Amino acid sequence: MKKNAGNEKTTILIVEDDPGLSELIAITLRGHGWDTAEAFSGEEALAMSRERRPRLILLDYSLPDMSGADFIAAAERTNIALPPFIVATGRGDERIAVDMMKRGARDYIVKDTQFLNVLTIAVERVLEQLDVERKLEETRQLLREHDEALLASREELRALADRLLVVPEQERTRIAREIHDQVAQDLIRLKLDLVWLNGQLAKSAPPAVVLKERVAEMIALTDGAINCVQKIATELRPAVLDSLGLCAAVEWQCREFQERYGIVCRAKIPQKDPTVDRDRATALFRILQESLNNIRRHAAATLVEVCLRSDGDGLSLTVTDNGKGFSSATLKDPLSIGLIGMRERAALLGGVADIRSEKGRGTTVEVRLPQKIKAPTGEAPS
Ligand SMILES: Nc1ncnc2c1ncn2[C@@H]1O[C@H](COP(=O)(O)OP(=O)(O)OP(=O)(O)O)[C@@H](O)[C@H]1O
Ligand SMILES: [Mg+2]
């Protein structure tokens, strides 16, 4: 606590006209690890405040050329930004001390027999206070930046949502990917920062309570935005799925993936198109897309095998890559939104998504959806 965040030594400017006392104060403060500078008059102190930019001033009220009050007035007049200061007054000068506190002094010390002891305690306390204030200011700045980022994301979302009303069907898939890859990523990064900030604030002094509430609000807001993004992405139905059916869509997706990214992608699909309702087809297709996206972005794989099966029990889709895999910690990470999304999609339809991975041994995503129990009115198969 005796040093600045920048690891520079904290300089305290001692303004005291008695050279003997000034030296004693300097020795005491240096003994506590602080750096000192000394000024013996008000004028000298003003010049040193400007040149040396001390972190704190210890100001004797009665200087030969001016009083403490005059010193502050002179600084204001000459546009010198004074650092925080502590005033030292003579015994019985409490009224002066109170007046100086009103003028911005952080503390006052009476020059009595306990002077040197009280002095170091006061300096320590004020420096700690300054440290907390600095951290709070940094946090406020971060919050301001996050506010702006959040606003920008919402603007982006609104612009995309507007476009959705008029874009042709085949554009939807591309936009869905854009939303997922860009907007959702930004929001998730933002949320990570906010969660970090929340953790930092939990460790700080009482003034941070208001900020903590603010961060909690921002996290809720970000969650809302993430939900919104995911909803938009879900609502965007890939045109290829509608026009060609699930089997053809899977084959098309694999072919496109292989052509675009140069990663061999083999598709094994049933001879006969299975009867798949709209929700299941969408879920399987989305999981395939998310798996391929992950492979493209994270796996460094050279081969992907996609297998779609249909039997009496239901439908299954397996996506296997020979890439670098990942640890089980990632699987449990609440921030693995993509992986969580796959499991949730399957669970919503009464199925399961089993994700298996091992570092250096590739990854397998296996989704099983049960056969739909047809309602009496029956949904038309795609
Ligand atoms: N096939 C894969 N091969 C290697 N690592 C993977 C694979 N799939 C996922 N991962 C790892 O698991 C993490 C979590 O995946 P997840 O899909 O949840 O998030 P993401 O892809 O990083 O971001 P998002 O999907 O939300 O855009 C990834 O960051 C990556 O480290
Ligand atoms: Mg992902």
Side-chain angles (χ1 to χ4, degrees):
M1 205 30 109
K2 305 244 164 104
K3 292 183 176 181
N4 271 342
N7 252 355
E8 287 166 34
K9 265 198 161 182
T10 298
T11 301
I12 302 170
L13 176 61
I14 303 162
V15 190
E16 168 61 60
D17 60 320
D18 176 344
L21 181 58
S22 179
E23 195 184 347
L24 203 58
I25 295 172
I27 291 168
T28 307
L29 294 181
R30 283 206 297 271
H32 280 77
W34 295 301
D35 223 2
T36 57
E38 291 172 64
F40 301 97
S41 68
E43 282 302 337
E44 199 183 348
L46 286 171
M48 286 177 82
S49 297
R50 198 198 319 254
E51 285 153 21
R52 300 216 25 191
R53 298 182 160 275
R55 180 133 163 88
L56 184 67
I57 294 182
L58 180 66
L59 177 67
D60 178 21
Y61 186 81
S62 310
L63 295 167
D65 53 346
M66 59 182 86
S67 70
D70 293 338
F71 175 76
I72 293 165
E76 271 170 19
R77 224 177 20 252
T78 49
N79 285 329
I80 296 174
L82 282 184
F85 58 96
I86 297 175
V87 176
T89 62
R91 210 176 315 171
D93 283 344
E94 278 77 8
R95 277 201 17 230
I96 291 177
V98 170
D99 175 57
M100 288 302 280
M101 294 292 282
K102 282 190 195 148
R103 288 170 195 264
R106 292 294 181 138
D107 208 347
Y108 73 88
I109 316 168
V110 177
K111 284 184 182 167
D112 58 13
T113 48
Q114 288 301 308
F115 177 61
L116 290 178
N117 287 340
V118 177
L119 169 74
T120 50
I121 295 168
V123 167
E124 186 130 8
R125 212 187 46 222
V126 171
L127 289 177
E128 272 173 16
Q129 213 176 3
L130 293 177
D131 229 40
V132 170
E133 282 168 19
R134 185 180 49 79
K135 279 187 194 144
L136 281 178
E137 188 38 50
E138 280 170 11
T139 308
R140 276 197 198 101
Q141 179 57 29
L142 259 174
L143 282 177
R144 275 194 290 272
E145 283 166 15
H146 278 115
D147 254 350
E148 281 163 22
L150 200 56
L151 213 65
S153 293
R154 280 158 111 201
E155 287 297 319
E156 218 171 315
L157 259 186
R158 197 167 308 137
L160 281 168
D162 284 351
R163 278 181 63 202
L164 289 184
L165 298 175
V166 291
V167 286
E169 191 71 13
Q170 65 269 29
E171 269 246 76
R172 292 183 167 217
T173 319
R174 193 182 64 73
I175 296 170
R177 198 172 299 142
E178 211 171 291
I179 290 174
H180 179 265
D181 282 358
Q182 288 179 13
V183 186
Q185 285 296 312
D186 286 350
L187 287 168
I188 288 164
R189 215 166 293 135
L190 197 64
K191 183 172 170 187
L192 279 175
D193 279 352
L194 286 169
V195 170
W196 173 84
L197 208 58
N198 214 15
Q200 294 295 308
L201 287 175
K203 294 181 207 150
S204 73
V209 169
V210 183
L211 293 175
K212 274 172 70 184
E213 281 169 10
R214 187 76 197 288
V215 171
E217 274 169 27
M218 290 175 79
I219 290 177
L221 213 63
T222 315
D223 276 337
I226 291 170
N227 280 342
C228 176
V229 167
Q230 285 173 341
K231 210 164 140 219
I232 292 177
T234 311
E235 277 165 11
L236 284 164
R237 185 169 171 76
V240 62
L241 194 51
D242 276 332
S243 53
L244 301 175
L246 181 62
C247 285
V250 168
E251 276 190 314
W252 169 83
Q253 182 67 76
C254 291
R255 209 168 41 245
E256 203 199 61
F257 179 81
Q258 177 168 314
E259 273 165 23
R260 187 178 291 190
Y261 304 111
I263 303 167
V264 177
C265 185
R266 291 188 198 133
K268 209 170 134 195
I269 54 160
Q271 298 270 316
K272 193 172 154 274
D273 230 331
T275 302
V276 190
D277 59 87
R278 186 184 164 95
D279 289 348
R280 280 166 174 66
T282 306
L284 288 175
F285 194 76
R286 287 274 184 243
I287 292 171
L288 170 65
Q289 283 184 317
E290 174 63 30
S291 301
L292 291 177
N293 253 333
N294 277 350
I295 293 169
R296 167 177 70 84
R297 289 168 53 204
H298 313 295
T302 54
L303 177 66
V304 182
E305 286 179 312
V306 176
C307 181
L308 181 68
R309 269 191 225 103
S310 168
D311 57 32
D313 291 336
L315 279 164
S316 77
L317 174 80
T318 314
V319 184
T320 305
D321 71 65
N322 67 347
K324 58 186 177 192
F326 55 90
S327 71
S328 55
T330 308
L331 215 49
K332 289 183 205 130
D333 188 341
L335 295 168
S336 292
I337 309 283
L339 300 180
I340 291 169
M342 290 194 218
R343 288 197 216 106
E344 275 175 6
R345 247 180 217 289
L348 272 175
L349 296 170
V352 285
D354 185 15
I355 302 162
R356 298 183 294 272
S357 191
E358 211 178 310
K359 280 208 155 167
R361 300 201 157 196
T363 302
T364 296
V365 174
E366 185 179 356
V367 194
R368 287 184 304 277
L369 298 182
Q371 197 68 41
K372 184 168 173 140
I373 302 157
K374 278 202 172 170
T377 47
E379 201 180 317
S382 59

Coordinates of all heavy atoms in Angstrom, one line a residue, residues 6 12 22 25 49 80 85 88 93 129-130 171 187 195 219 230 239 250 253 255 271 277 291 307 315 317 323 348 373:
G6 N 1.6 2.0 -10.3 CA 2.6 2.0 -11.3 C 4.0 1.5 -10.8 O 5.0 1.5 -11.5
I12 N 5.7 12.2 -1.2 CA 4.9 13.1 -0.3 C 5.7 14.4 -0.2 O 6.9 14.4 0.2 CB 4.7 12.5 1.1 CG1 4.0 11.1 0.9 CG2 3.9 13.4 2.0 CD1 3.9 10.3 2.2
S22 N 11.0 19.6 9.5 CA 10.8 19.0 8.2 C 11.7 17.8 8.0 O 11.2 16.8 7.5 CB 11.2 20.1 7.2 OG 11.0 19.6 5.9
I25 N 10.3 14.9 9.9 CA 9.1 14.3 9.2 C 9.5 13.4 8.0 O 9.1 12.3 7.8 CB 8.1 15.4 8.7 CG1 7.6 16.2 9.9 CG2 7.0 14.8 7.9 CD1 6.8 17.5 9.5
S49 N 4.8 21.5 -6.5 CA 3.6 20.8 -6.8 C 3.4 20.7 -8.3 O 3.0 19.7 -8.9 CB 2.3 21.6 -6.3 OG 2.4 21.7 -4.9
I80 N -2.8 25.7 -10.7 CA -2.0 24.5 -10.3 C -3.0 23.5 -9.7 O -3.7 23.8 -8.7 CB -0.9 24.9 -9.3 CG1 0.1 25.8 -9.9 CG2 -0.2 23.6 -8.8 CD1 1.1 26.4 -9.0
F85 N -4.2 16.9 0.1 CA -3.3 17.4 1.2 C -3.9 17.1 2.6 O -5.1 17.0 2.8 CB -3.0 18.8 0.9 CG -4.2 19.8 0.9 CD1 -4.6 20.4 2.1 CD2 -4.9 20.0 -0.2 CE1 -5.7 21.3 2.1 CE2 -6.0 20.8 -0.2 CZ -6.4 21.5 0.9
A88 N -1.3 20.4 8.8 CA -0.8 20.4 10.2 C -1.0 21.7 10.8 O -0.6 22.8 10.2 CB 0.7 20.0 10.1
D93 N -5.6 25.2 17.4 CA -6.0 25.8 16.1 C -7.1 25.0 15.4 O -7.2 24.9 14.2 CB -4.8 25.9 15.1 CG -3.9 27.1 15.5 OD1 -4.4 27.9 16.2 OD2 -2.8 27.1 15.0
Q129 N -7.2 5.6 1.0 CA -8.4 6.2 0.5 C -8.3 6.5 -1.0 O -9.1 6.3 -1.9 CB -8.7 7.4 1.3 CG -10.1 7.8 1.5 CD -10.2 9.0 2.4 OE1 -9.1 9.6 2.8 NE2 -11.3 9.4 2.8
L130 N -7.1 7.1 -1.3 CA -6.9 7.5 -2.7 C -6.8 6.3 -3.6 O -7.3 6.4 -4.8 CB -5.5 8.3 -2.8 CG -5.5 9.7 -2.1 CD1 -4.1 10.3 -2.2 CD2 -6.5 10.6 -2.7
E171 N -31.3 -15.7 -47.7 CA -30.3 -14.8 -46.9 C -30.4 -15.2 -45.5 O -29.5 -14.8 -44.7 CB -30.7 -13.4 -47.1 CG -30.0 -12.8 -48.3 CD -29.0 -11.7 -47.9 OE1 -28.0 -12.1 -47.3 OE2 -29.4 -10.5 -48.0
L187 N -21.5 -10.2 -27.2 CA -22.3 -10.1 -25.9 C -21.7 -11.1 -24.9 O -21.7 -10.7 -23.7 CB -23.8 -10.5 -26.2 CG -24.6 -9.4 -27.0 CD1 -25.9 -10.0 -27.5 CD2 -24.8 -8.2 -26.1
V195 N -19.0 -10.2 -15.4 CA -18.9 -11.1 -14.3 C -17.5 -10.9 -13.6 O -17.5 -10.9 -12.4 CB -19.0 -12.6 -14.9 CG1 -18.6 -13.6 -13.8 CG2 -20.4 -12.8 -15.4
I219 N -25.6 -7.1 -16.2 CA -25.5 -8.6 -16.5 C -26.9 -9.1 -16.9 O -27.0 -9.8 -17.9 CB -25.0 -9.4 -15.2 CG1 -23.5 -9.1 -15.0 CG2 -25.1 -10.9 -15.5 CD1 -22.9 -9.7 -13.8
Q230 N -30.3 -15.3 -29.5 CA -30.5 -16.7 -29.7 C -31.8 -17.0 -30.3 O -32.0 -17.9 -31.2 CB -30.2 -17.5 -28.4 CG -28.7 -17.6 -28.2 CD -28.4 -18.2 -26.8 OE1 -29.3 -18.2 -25.9 NE2 -27.2 -18.6 -26.6
A239 N -33.1 -21.9 -45.3 CA -34.0 -22.1 -46.5 C -33.8 -23.5 -47.1 O -34.7 -24.2 -47.5 CB -33.7 -21.1 -47.5
V250 N -28.5 -32.0 -44.9 CA -27.3 -32.4 -44.2 C -26.2 -32.6 -45.3 O -25.1 -32.2 -45.1 CB -27.6 -33.8 -43.4 CG1 -26.3 -34.4 -43.0 CG2 -28.5 -33.5 -42.2
Q253 N -25.0 -29.3 -46.5 CA -24.2 -28.6 -45.5 C -22.8 -29.2 -45.4 O -21.8 -28.4 -45.3 CB -24.9 -28.7 -44.1 CG -24.2 -28.0 -43.0 CD -24.2 -26.5 -43.2 OE1 -25.2 -25.8 -42.9 NE2 -23.1 -25.9 -43.6
R255 N -21.2 -30.8 -47.8 CA -20.5 -30.4 -49.0 C -20.0 -29.0 -49.0 O -18.9 -28.7 -49.3 CB -21.5 -30.6 -50.2 CG -20.8 -31.0 -51.5 CD -21.7 -31.5 -52.6 NE -22.9 -30.7 -52.7 CZ -24.1 -31.2 -52.5 NH1 -24.3 -32.5 -52.1 NH2 -25.2 -30.5 -52.6
Q271 N -31.0 -44.2 -46.8 CA -31.4 -44.3 -48.2 C -32.8 -43.5 -48.4 O -32.9 -42.8 -49.3 CB -31.7 -45.8 -48.6 CG -30.4 -46.6 -48.5 CD -29.7 -46.6 -49.8 OE1 -30.3 -46.7 -50.8 NE2 -28.3 -46.5 -49.7
D277 N -40.5 -34.2 -38.4 CA -41.3 -32.9 -38.3 C -40.4 -31.7 -38.3 O -39.1 -31.8 -38.1 CB -42.2 -33.0 -37.0 CG -41.4 -33.1 -35.8 OD1 -40.9 -32.0 -35.3 OD2 -41.1 -34.2 -35.4
S291 N -21.9 -27.8 -34.6 CA -20.8 -28.7 -34.5 C -19.7 -28.4 -35.6 O -18.5 -28.3 -35.3 CB -21.2 -30.2 -34.7 OG -22.2 -30.5 -33.7
C307 N -23.1 -38.6 -39.5 CA -24.0 -39.8 -39.8 C -25.4 -39.5 -39.3 O -25.6 -39.2 -38.1 CB -23.3 -41.0 -39.1 SG -24.3 -42.5 -39.4
L315 N -34.5 -40.8 -34.1 CA -33.4 -40.3 -35.0 C -32.1 -40.0 -34.3 O -32.2 -39.6 -33.1 CB -33.9 -38.9 -35.6 CG -34.9 -38.8 -36.7 CD1 -35.4 -37.4 -36.7 CD2 -34.2 -39.1 -38.0
L317 N -28.1 -38.3 -34.8 CA -27.1 -37.6 -35.7 C -25.7 -37.6 -34.9 O -25.7 -37.3 -33.8 CB -27.5 -36.1 -35.9 CG -26.5 -35.3 -36.6 CD1 -26.5 -35.5 -38.1 CD2 -26.7 -33.8 -36.3
G323 N -9.9 -33.8 -34.7 CA -9.1 -32.7 -34.3 C -8.6 -32.8 -32.9 O -8.4 -33.9 -32.4
L348 N -35.1 -30.2 -25.2 CA -36.4 -29.6 -25.4 C -37.3 -30.6 -26.2 O -38.6 -30.5 -26.1 CB -36.3 -28.3 -26.2 CG -36.1 -27.0 -25.4 CD1 -35.8 -25.9 -26.3 CD2 -37.3 -26.8 -24.5
I373 N -44.3 -38.9 -30.8 CA -45.6 -39.5 -30.6 C -46.6 -38.5 -31.3 O -46.8 -37.4 -30.9 CB -46.0 -39.6 -29.1 CG1 -44.9 -40.5 -28.5 CG2 -47.3 -40.2 -28.9 CD1 -44.7 -40.3 -27.0

